[in-house]
Amino acid sequence: MGEQVAVDDLLNLAGERVLVTGASGNIGHAIALRLAAAGAEVIAHCHHNMAAAEALINELGAGQALQADLSDKAEVARLLADSAPTQLVHNAAAQSLQKLSDMSLSEWQSMQATNLDSAFLLAQLAAHAWQAAERGGAIVNIASIEALDPAVGHAHYATSKAGLLMLSRAAALEFGDAKIRVNCVSPGLIDRDGLATDWPDGVSRWQERAPLGRLGTPNDVADAVLFLLSPAARWISGTNLVVDGGMMAQGKW
């Protein structure tokens, strides 16, 4: 029998240094705040919005803000060298609306590079560092329920997220002997400022159909990430935690 973890320590990340990619965005900001509240030191990554990443670090009162293009191997290597994380949350992603019939190859490839190539580079290079240090580690990738159920106009995005699910499972398999856990969180529709105004029909349809009757919040996602990084999930790897208010339980008939 393994050693039992005290209840008060199950969600304790004290001593962990967590790199959160896309921390300047809505969900990334919430993840960073939650992990810091659990005792982690947070490294806030951004691609363009350094002011927002620095404001987040100021809000936390500790940590580090770093910029990198995650589709570039050299920049990913620099980011990991500069941050030296013990855990990783890959949240950065692109999402756009484009009909499959009208999509160019470059538009398709750009989405895969941003959402999937980045995850490959981060997982591989982080695992190399952790294996060299013989210390283990944990990765949580932020996917989407569209990896399981695509929307019209999102073929490139949904495919990138479906690939992320399989990449996470494969990484969990191959890096498990180094005590590296890899999991996914797949959010449903997450609220943000102006969403109801920008997409009133979609918000209304979601609220009507979702079993729990509301949109998700960034904190719903952040709490799931905290769980998967924490000692409470110490024997969980290669899984996808769907955080969608029960929407994927809906039948399609």
Side-chain angles (χ1 to χ4, degrees):
M1 297 290 290
E3 182 180 352
Q4 188 176 52
V5 179
V7 170
D8 289 346
D9 293 332
L10 283 176
L11 299 179
N12 186 353
L13 295 184
E16 300 290 353
R17 184 171 166 84
V18 188
L19 171 62
V20 179
T21 70
S24 58
N26 192 33
I27 294 175
H29 183 272
I31 291 170
L33 290 179
R34 198 57 159 164
L35 301 185
E41 180 181 1
V42 172
I43 304 99
H45 157 269
C46 69
H47 187 189
H48 299 294
N49 196 348
M50 191 62 171
E54 291 176 338
L56 169 60
I57 294 303
N58 288 336
E59 183 178 356
L60 295 176
Q64 187 177 13
L66 295 172
Q67 183 277 337
D69 177 354
L70 299 181
S71 66
D72 184 308
K73 183 175 181 178
E75 293 208 23
V76 172
R78 174 183 55 79
L79 174 66
L80 291 171
D82 290 347
S83 59
T86 62
Q87 296 183 332
L88 166 66
V89 181
H90 183 33
N91 165 73
Q95 185 176 25
S96 62
L97 189 66
Q98 180 73 40
K99 289 185 177 180
L100 185 59
S101 59
D102 300 333
M103 192 180 303
S104 68
L105 179 59
S106 63
E107 288 169 328
W108 173 269
Q109 291 173 331
S110 176
M111 183 66 71
Q112 308 315 310
T114 299
N115 291 358
L116 188 54
D117 293 356
S118 60
F120 159 72
L121 290 170
L122 283 162
Q124 184 188 66
L125 297 180
H128 286 169
W130 294 337
Q131 287 169 319
E134 298 182 346
R135 56 147 287 113
I139 299 172
V140 175
N141 291 314
I142 306 301
S144 169
I145 61 170
E146 288 196 44
L148 307 169
D149 192 11
V152 173
H154 280 183
H156 52 343
Y157 174 78
T159 299
S160 72
K161 293 299 186 177
L164 184 57
L165 295 189
M166 185 52 68
L167 172 64
S168 300
R169 290 180 63 188
L173 174 65
E174 295 200 24
F175 298 146
D177 60 357
K179 303 298 185 290
I180 297 171
R181 298 187 300 109
V182 187
N183 292 293
C184 277
V185 170
S186 284
L189 184 59
I190 303 301
D191 203 4
R192 60 168 174 77
D193 290 342
L195 180 61
T197 300
D198 295 340
W199 195 34
D201 176 60
V203 168
S204 177
R205 285 187 286 112
W206 181 278
Q207 291 172 330
E208 289 173 0
R209 294 201 63 202
L212 294 186
R214 68 169 175 86
L215 274 63
T217 70
N219 287 331
D220 293 326
V221 180
D223 288 348
V225 171
L226 170 58
F227 165 68
L228 288 174
L229 289 179
S230 76
R234 60 195 177 276
W235 207 51
I236 298 175
S237 193
T239 197
N240 177 40
L241 178 54
V242 175
V243 182
D244 71 344
M247 183 61 84
M248 291 301 291
Q250 292 279 357
K252 294 185 179 181
W253 297 100

